[in-house]
mmCIF file of all heavy atoms in Angstrom:
data_model
loop_
_atom_site.group_PDB
_atom_site.id
_atom_site.type_symbol
_atom_site.label_atom_id
_atom_site.label_comp_id
_atom_site.label_asym_id
_atom_site.label_seq_id
_atom_site.Cartn_x
_atom_site.Cartn_y
_atom_site.Cartn_z
ATOM 1 N N VAL A 71 45.934 86.947 165.639
ATOM 2 C CA VAL A 71 45.614 88.349 166.121
ATOM 3 C C VAL A 71 45.492 89.195 164.878
ATOM 4 O O VAL A 71 46.401 89.222 164.067
ATOM 5 C CB VAL A 71 46.705 88.816 167.074
ATOM 6 C CG1 VAL A 71 46.575 90.427 167.295
ATOM 7 C CG2 VAL A 71 46.712 88.121 168.359
ATOM 8 N N ILE A 72 44.340 89.843 164.664
ATOM 9 C CA ILE A 72 43.980 90.592 163.560
ATOM 10 C C ILE A 72 43.924 92.043 163.869
ATOM 11 O O ILE A 72 43.305 92.385 164.816
ATOM 12 C CB ILE A 72 42.659 90.115 162.915
ATOM 13 C CG1 ILE A 72 42.775 88.629 162.574
ATOM 14 C CG2 ILE A 72 42.354 90.918 161.684
ATOM 15 C CD1 ILE A 72 41.436 88.003 162.169
ATOM 16 N N LYS A 73 44.604 92.920 163.094
ATOM 17 C CA LYS A 73 44.619 94.321 163.200
ATOM 18 C C LYS A 73 43.708 94.927 162.213
ATOM 19 O O LYS A 73 43.925 94.765 161.006
ATOM 20 C CB LYS A 73 45.982 94.950 163.184
ATOM 21 C CG LYS A 73 45.988 96.462 163.533
ATOM 22 C CD LYS A 73 47.436 97.015 163.391
ATOM 23 C CE LYS A 73 47.445 98.453 163.854
ATOM 24 N NZ LYS A 73 46.663 99.401 163.110
ATOM 25 N N PHE A 74 42.695 95.662 162.650
ATOM 26 C CA PHE A 74 41.745 96.289 161.759
ATOM 27 C C PHE A 74 42.092 97.674 161.287
ATOM 28 O O PHE A 74 42.800 98.384 162.009
ATOM 29 C CB PHE A 74 40.296 96.165 162.309
ATOM 30 C CG PHE A 74 39.808 94.758 162.414
ATOM 31 C CD1 PHE A 74 40.020 94.054 163.600
ATOM 32 C CD2 PHE A 74 39.070 94.193 161.386
ATOM 33 C CE1 PHE A 74 39.585 92.708 163.695
ATOM 34 C CE2 PHE A 74 38.649 92.851 161.493
ATOM 35 C CZ PHE A 74 38.912 92.164 162.655
ATOM 36 N N GLY A 75 41.510 98.089 160.177
ATOM 37 C CA GLY A 75 41.698 99.495 159.765
ATOM 38 C C GLY A 75 42.597 99.666 158.547
ATOM 39 O O GLY A 75 42.509 100.578 157.783
ATOM 40 N N GLN A 76 43.481 98.619 158.309
ATOM 41 C CA GLN A 76 44.406 98.693 157.196
ATOM 42 C C GLN A 76 44.588 97.313 156.607
ATOM 43 O O GLN A 76 44.506 96.307 157.349
ATOM 44 C CB GLN A 76 45.788 99.244 157.633
ATOM 45 C CG GLN A 76 45.810 100.620 158.175
ATOM 46 C CD GLN A 76 47.144 100.992 158.679
ATOM 47 O OE1 GLN A 76 47.934 100.174 159.304
ATOM 48 N NE2 GLN A 76 47.550 102.227 158.361
ATOM 49 N N GLU A 77 44.813 97.286 155.299
ATOM 50 C CA GLU A 77 45.200 95.992 154.652
ATOM 51 C C GLU A 77 46.606 96.121 154.041
ATOM 52 O O GLU A 77 46.945 97.270 153.461
ATOM 53 C CB GLU A 77 44.168 95.662 153.552
ATOM 54 C CG GLU A 77 44.364 94.263 152.885
ATOM 55 C CD GLU A 77 43.312 93.976 151.852
ATOM 56 O OE1 GLU A 77 42.149 94.016 152.264
ATOM 57 O OE2 GLU A 77 43.689 93.644 150.685
ATOM 58 N N THR A 78 47.408 95.186 153.986
ATOM 59 C CA THR A 78 48.686 95.185 153.426
ATOM 60 C C THR A 78 48.771 94.260 152.221
ATOM 61 O O THR A 78 47.883 93.327 152.060
ATOM 62 C CB THR A 78 49.784 94.849 154.346
ATOM 63 O OG1 THR A 78 49.688 93.455 154.768
ATOM 64 C CG2 THR A 78 49.761 95.672 155.641
ATOM 65 N N ASP A 79 49.762 94.426 151.316
ATOM 66 C CA ASP A 79 49.861 93.552 150.131
ATOM 67 C C ASP A 79 50.117 92.110 150.502
ATOM 68 O O ASP A 79 49.733 91.267 149.810
ATOM 69 C CB ASP A 79 50.903 94.094 149.177
ATOM 70 C CG ASP A 79 52.255 94.359 149.832
ATOM 71 O OD1 ASP A 79 52.391 94.051 151.055
ATOM 72 O OD2 ASP A 79 53.229 94.799 149.187
ATOM 73 N N THR A 80 50.796 91.870 151.647
ATOM 74 C CA THR A 80 51.136 90.495 152.088
ATOM 75 C C THR A 80 50.093 90.033 153.031
ATOM 76 O O THR A 80 50.068 88.814 153.382
ATOM 77 C CB THR A 80 52.477 90.490 152.752
ATOM 78 O OG1 THR A 80 52.435 91.303 153.908
ATOM 79 C CG2 THR A 80 53.569 90.831 151.876
ATOM 80 N N LEU A 81 49.154 90.816 153.440
ATOM 81 C CA LEU A 81 48.072 90.466 154.388
ATOM 82 C C LEU A 81 48.667 90.196 155.834
ATOM 83 O O LEU A 81 47.991 89.609 156.613
ATOM 84 C CB LEU A 81 47.218 89.378 153.962
ATOM 85 C CG LEU A 81 46.533 89.492 152.539
ATOM 86 C CD1 LEU A 81 45.684 88.303 152.232
ATOM 87 C CD2 LEU A 81 45.602 90.778 152.611
ATOM 88 N N GLU A 82 49.878 90.682 156.065
ATOM 89 C CA GLU A 82 50.427 90.565 157.405
ATOM 90 C C GLU A 82 51.306 91.791 157.591
ATOM 91 O O GLU A 82 51.425 92.589 156.701
ATOM 92 C CB GLU A 82 51.250 89.237 157.637
ATOM 93 C CG GLU A 82 52.071 88.793 156.474
ATOM 94 C CD GLU A 82 53.436 89.379 156.438
ATOM 95 O OE1 GLU A 82 53.828 90.224 157.375
ATOM 96 O OE2 GLU A 82 54.209 89.180 155.449
ATOM 97 N N TYR A 83 51.827 91.882 158.813
ATOM 98 C CA TYR A 83 52.413 93.232 159.225
ATOM 99 C C TYR A 83 53.708 93.670 158.475
ATOM 100 O O TYR A 83 54.064 94.898 158.582
ATOM 101 C CB TYR A 83 52.574 93.329 160.765
ATOM 102 C CG TYR A 83 53.577 92.324 161.338
ATOM 103 C CD1 TYR A 83 54.952 92.544 161.234
ATOM 104 C CD2 TYR A 83 53.128 91.284 162.035
ATOM 105 C CE1 TYR A 83 55.883 91.620 161.810
ATOM 106 C CE2 TYR A 83 54.043 90.388 162.630
ATOM 107 C CZ TYR A 83 55.455 90.593 162.486
ATOM 108 O OH TYR A 83 56.308 89.751 163.093
ATOM 109 N N THR A 84 54.405 92.827 157.856
ATOM 110 C CA THR A 84 55.636 93.144 157.147
ATOM 111 C C THR A 84 55.392 93.773 155.837
ATOM 112 O O THR A 84 56.293 94.309 155.130
ATOM 113 C CB THR A 84 56.583 91.957 157.023
ATOM 114 O OG1 THR A 84 56.011 91.004 156.122
ATOM 115 C CG2 THR A 84 56.832 91.324 158.323
ATOM 116 N N GLY A 85 54.073 93.741 155.324
ATOM 117 C CA GLY A 85 53.804 94.240 154.013
ATOM 118 C C GLY A 85 53.523 95.744 153.986
ATOM 119 O O GLY A 85 53.551 96.438 155.001
ATOM 120 N N LYS A 86 53.284 96.257 152.750
ATOM 121 C CA LYS A 86 52.982 97.706 152.562
ATOM 122 C C LYS A 86 51.479 97.840 152.548
ATOM 123 O O LYS A 86 50.684 97.005 152.081
ATOM 124 C CB LYS A 86 53.519 98.129 151.173
ATOM 125 C CG LYS A 86 55.027 97.996 151.107
ATOM 126 C CD LYS A 86 55.427 98.482 149.677
ATOM 127 C CE LYS A 86 56.975 98.346 149.522
ATOM 128 N NZ LYS A 86 57.434 98.773 148.214
ATOM 129 N N VAL A 87 51.067 98.921 153.217
ATOM 130 C CA VAL A 87 49.653 99.253 153.386
ATOM 131 C C VAL A 87 49.110 99.633 152.023
ATOM 132 O O VAL A 87 49.622 100.485 151.314
ATOM 133 C CB VAL A 87 49.383 100.361 154.396
ATOM 134 C CG1 VAL A 87 47.881 100.744 154.297
ATOM 135 C CG2 VAL A 87 49.844 99.978 155.804
ATOM 136 N N THR A 88 48.066 98.910 151.591
ATOM 137 C CA THR A 88 47.429 99.129 150.264
ATOM 138 C C THR A 88 46.008 99.680 150.374
ATOM 139 O O THR A 88 45.437 100.145 149.424
ATOM 140 C CB THR A 88 47.349 97.781 149.502
ATOM 141 O OG1 THR A 88 46.614 96.824 150.298
ATOM 142 C CG2 THR A 88 48.701 97.311 149.120
ATOM 143 N N ARG A 89 45.426 99.575 151.589
ATOM 144 C CA ARG A 89 43.993 100.107 151.692
ATOM 145 C C ARG A 89 43.729 100.346 153.174
ATOM 146 O O ARG A 89 44.276 99.692 154.055
ATOM 147 C CB ARG A 89 43.093 98.944 151.156
ATOM 148 C CG ARG A 89 41.588 99.378 151.201
ATOM 149 C CD ARG A 89 40.819 98.337 150.365
ATOM 150 N NE ARG A 89 40.653 97.117 151.216
ATOM 151 C CZ ARG A 89 39.630 96.876 152.070
ATOM 152 N NH1 ARG A 89 38.707 97.822 152.241
ATOM 153 N NH2 ARG A 89 39.549 95.726 152.649
ATOM 154 N N THR A 90 42.950 101.365 153.383
ATOM 155 C CA THR A 90 42.488 101.693 154.712
ATOM 156 C C THR A 90 40.899 101.660 154.697
ATOM 157 O O THR A 90 40.281 101.880 153.669
ATOM 158 C CB THR A 90 42.953 103.071 155.239
ATOM 159 O OG1 THR A 90 42.449 104.072 154.337
ATOM 160 C CG2 THR A 90 44.475 103.076 155.333
ATOM 161 N N ALA A 91 40.378 101.459 155.897
ATOM 162 C CA ALA A 91 38.912 101.404 156.027
ATOM 163 C C ALA A 91 38.511 101.631 157.500
ATOM 164 O O ALA A 91 39.357 101.548 158.372
ATOM 165 C CB ALA A 91 38.360 100.040 155.525
ATOM 166 N N PRO A 92 37.245 102.056 157.758
ATOM 167 C CA PRO A 92 36.871 102.249 159.123
ATOM 168 C C PRO A 92 36.962 100.985 160.019
ATOM 169 O O PRO A 92 36.897 99.914 159.501
ATOM 170 C CB PRO A 92 35.390 102.690 158.962
ATOM 171 C CG PRO A 92 35.191 103.085 157.538
ATOM 172 C CD PRO A 92 36.143 102.294 156.785
ATOM 173 N N LEU A 93 37.148 101.204 161.318
ATOM 174 C CA LEU A 93 37.201 100.171 162.193
ATOM 175 C C LEU A 93 35.819 99.567 162.442
ATOM 176 O O LEU A 93 34.832 100.327 162.394
ATOM 177 C CB LEU A 93 37.782 100.519 163.523
ATOM 178 C CG LEU A 93 39.243 101.026 163.542
ATOM 179 C CD1 LEU A 93 39.600 101.492 164.995
ATOM 180 C CD2 LEU A 93 40.123 99.909 163.107
ATOM 181 N N PRO A 94 35.633 98.208 162.663
ATOM 182 C CA PRO A 94 34.243 97.681 162.888
ATOM 183 C C PRO A 94 33.937 97.855 164.263
ATOM 184 O O PRO A 94 34.695 98.032 165.157
ATOM 185 C CB PRO A 94 34.454 96.176 162.535
ATOM 186 C CG PRO A 94 35.922 95.964 162.855
ATOM 187 C CD PRO A 94 36.713 97.220 162.585
ATOM 188 N N THR A 95 32.582 97.777 164.576
ATOM 189 C CA THR A 95 32.058 97.650 165.862
ATOM 190 C C THR A 95 32.198 96.138 166.315
ATOM 191 O O THR A 95 32.390 95.294 165.434
ATOM 192 C CB THR A 95 30.531 98.060 166.066
ATOM 193 O OG1 THR A 95 29.815 97.137 165.197
ATOM 194 C CG2 THR A 95 30.337 99.471 165.506
ATOM 195 N N GLU A 96 32.103 95.952 167.612
ATOM 196 C CA GLU A 96 32.138 94.487 168.130
ATOM 197 C C GLU A 96 30.986 93.626 167.488
ATOM 198 O O GLU A 96 31.187 92.571 167.041
ATOM 199 C CB GLU A 96 32.134 94.497 169.565
ATOM 200 C CG GLU A 96 32.210 93.085 170.196
ATOM 201 C CD GLU A 96 32.258 93.044 171.706
ATOM 202 O OE1 GLU A 96 32.390 94.135 172.273
ATOM 203 O OE2 GLU A 96 32.193 91.969 172.321
ATOM 204 N N GLU A 97 29.826 94.316 167.382
ATOM 205 C CA GLU A 97 28.665 93.611 166.828
ATOM 206 C C GLU A 97 28.891 93.262 165.368
ATOM 207 O O GLU A 97 28.583 92.119 164.910
ATOM 208 C CB GLU A 97 27.379 94.500 166.910
ATOM 209 C CG GLU A 97 26.949 94.653 168.347
ATOM 210 C CD GLU A 97 27.769 95.595 169.177
ATOM 211 O OE1 GLU A 97 28.597 96.444 168.495
ATOM 212 O OE2 GLU A 97 27.729 95.666 170.416
ATOM 213 N N GLU A 98 29.398 94.164 164.609
ATOM 214 C CA GLU A 98 29.718 93.929 163.153
ATOM 215 C C GLU A 98 30.782 92.734 162.995
ATOM 216 O O GLU A 98 30.634 91.950 162.144
ATOM 217 C CB GLU A 98 30.301 95.232 162.520
ATOM 218 C CG GLU A 98 29.187 96.259 162.306
ATOM 219 C CD GLU A 98 29.798 97.578 161.852
ATOM 220 O OE1 GLU A 98 31.029 97.857 162.074
ATOM 221 O OE2 GLU A 98 29.046 98.341 161.265
ATOM 222 N N LEU A 99 31.774 92.749 163.854
ATOM 223 C CA LEU A 99 32.770 91.786 163.849
ATOM 224 C C LEU A 99 32.192 90.390 164.182
ATOM 225 O O LEU A 99 32.457 89.379 163.545
ATOM 226 C CB LEU A 99 33.925 92.009 164.847
ATOM 227 C CG LEU A 99 35.049 90.942 164.910
ATOM 228 C CD1 LEU A 99 35.709 90.719 163.549
ATOM 229 C CD2 LEU A 99 36.068 91.374 165.958
ATOM 230 N N ILE A 100 31.377 90.316 165.243
ATOM 231 C CA ILE A 100 30.778 89.057 165.650
ATOM 232 C C ILE A 100 29.934 88.455 164.474
ATOM 233 O O ILE A 100 29.996 87.285 164.138
ATOM 234 C CB ILE A 100 29.940 89.191 166.877
ATOM 235 C CG1 ILE A 100 30.776 89.513 168.144
ATOM 236 C CG2 ILE A 100 29.018 87.977 167.126
ATOM 237 C CD1 ILE A 100 29.955 89.932 169.315
ATOM 238 N N LYS A 101 29.138 89.325 163.847
ATOM 239 C CA LYS A 101 28.350 88.948 162.783
ATOM 240 C C LYS A 101 29.133 88.390 161.546
ATOM 241 O O LYS A 101 28.790 87.417 160.947
ATOM 242 C CB LYS A 101 27.366 90.074 162.313
ATOM 243 C CG LYS A 101 26.414 89.687 161.252
ATOM 244 C CD LYS A 101 25.514 90.901 160.948
ATOM 245 C CE LYS A 101 24.433 90.551 159.813
ATOM 246 N NZ LYS A 101 23.575 91.649 159.499
ATOM 247 N N ALA A 102 30.229 89.111 161.277
ATOM 248 C CA ALA A 102 31.088 88.708 160.153
ATOM 249 C C ALA A 102 31.732 87.378 160.412
ATOM 250 O O ALA A 102 31.770 86.520 159.562
ATOM 251 C CB ALA A 102 32.149 89.772 159.967
ATOM 252 N N VAL A 103 32.225 87.185 161.669
ATOM 253 C CA VAL A 103 32.909 85.898 161.970
ATOM 254 C C VAL A 103 31.962 84.702 161.839
ATOM 255 O O VAL A 103 32.302 83.671 161.350
ATOM 256 C CB VAL A 103 33.513 85.988 163.357
ATOM 257 C CG1 VAL A 103 34.012 84.639 163.852
ATOM 258 C CG2 VAL A 103 34.651 86.958 163.358
#
Side-chain angles (χ1 to χ4, degrees):
V71 170
I72 302 172
K73 185 179 188 301
F74 291 91
Q76 296 177 321
E77 184 178 306
T78 66
D79 53 2
T80 60
L81 302 180
E82 41 85 7
Y83 63 75
T84 67
K86 297 178 181 178
V87 175
T88 57
R89 187 169 72 89
T90 61
L93 298 176
T95 64
E96 183 174 350
E97 292 74 18
E98 289 170 336
L99 176 60
I100 291 172
K101 185 177 180 180
V103 170

